[in-house]
Amino acid sequence: MTVSIILKWVLISTFSFVIGTCGYLSLVQHVEANRSVQVIPKKATEDILFYKDTCPDCQKVYNEFFFKKYIMQKNIRFINLNQKANRKYISKYFLKEVPTVIQLTNGKEKARFVGNEVKKYLAKRPF
């Protein structure tokens, strides 16, 4: 192979990586800013991330949750508390701060991770 072919391959690969990364980050930001109304089923068995898209601490961990949900296919529900209709969950689950992760099994709370504890959740639940 000549140097020019190798150089072209490196440039194309680098360009593809940059475009792919930008697309992924754009998608993450779009999903994070989603303020759709969420309904938690009564017998839900899932992990729920309560967050606000304007919260700096939430933004720090959101990428990892996004990766787990959409890439690793983990059962995680995102609930953005900046949506007024989702704020009913603040009193229902006695939420004090965001981010908060609640693990539900058949609709019953099995574990809770609040604030910096969310990092422990991410460490306990490997990819």
Side-chain angles (χ1 to χ4, degrees):
M1 293 178 85
T2 66
V3 174
S4 65
I5 292 174
I6 293 172
L7 182 59
K8 286 179 185 178
W9 183 84
V10 169
L11 288 173
I12 290 171
S13 297
T14 303
F15 180 74
S16 297
F17 175 77
V18 170
I19 296 300
T21 301
C22 290
Y24 174 80
L25 293 175
S26 177
L27 178 61
V28 170
Q29 290 172 343
H30 173 74
V31 173
E32 180 180 18
N34 182 359
R35 295 187 179 183
S36 63
V37 177
Q38 295 292 312
V39 177
I40 300 172
K42 290 184 184 213
K43 297 285 186 177
T45 298
E46 61 188 354
D47 296 350
I48 303 171
L49 171 64
F50 294 97
Y51 74 100
K52 290 185 175 182
D53 59 281
T54 55
C55 161
D57 290 335
C58 300
Q59 292 168 355
K60 289 177 187 174
V61 297
Y62 191 86
N63 284 345
E64 291 181 69
F65 282 95
F66 182 90
F67 185 83
K68 282 187 176 212
K69 178 177 177 76
Y70 293 105
I71 306 300
M72 302 305 295
Q73 302 295 305
K74 301 295 182 184
N75 194 12
I76 301 171
R77 180 182 302 269
F78 298 138
I79 298 184
N80 188 341
L81 295 176
N82 279 333
Q83 164 54 258
K84 287 183 182 181
N86 290 338
R87 292 182 188 159
K88 64 186 175 193
Y89 296 120
I90 294 171
S91 58
K92 181 175 181 176
Y93 290 104
F94 305 103
L95 301 174
K96 301 290 184 211
E97 66 180 274
V98 290
T100 295
V101 174
I102 296 180
Q103 293 176 302
L104 297 178
T105 301
N106 293 321
K108 299 196 186 301
E109 184 176 326
K110 294 297 179 187
R112 177 183 293 242
F113 302 86
V114 180
N116 287 333
E117 292 176 347
V118 169
K119 292 178 183 175
K120 292 179 188 173
Y121 163 87
L122 290 167
K124 283 178 81 174
R125 309 277 293 200
F127 299 114

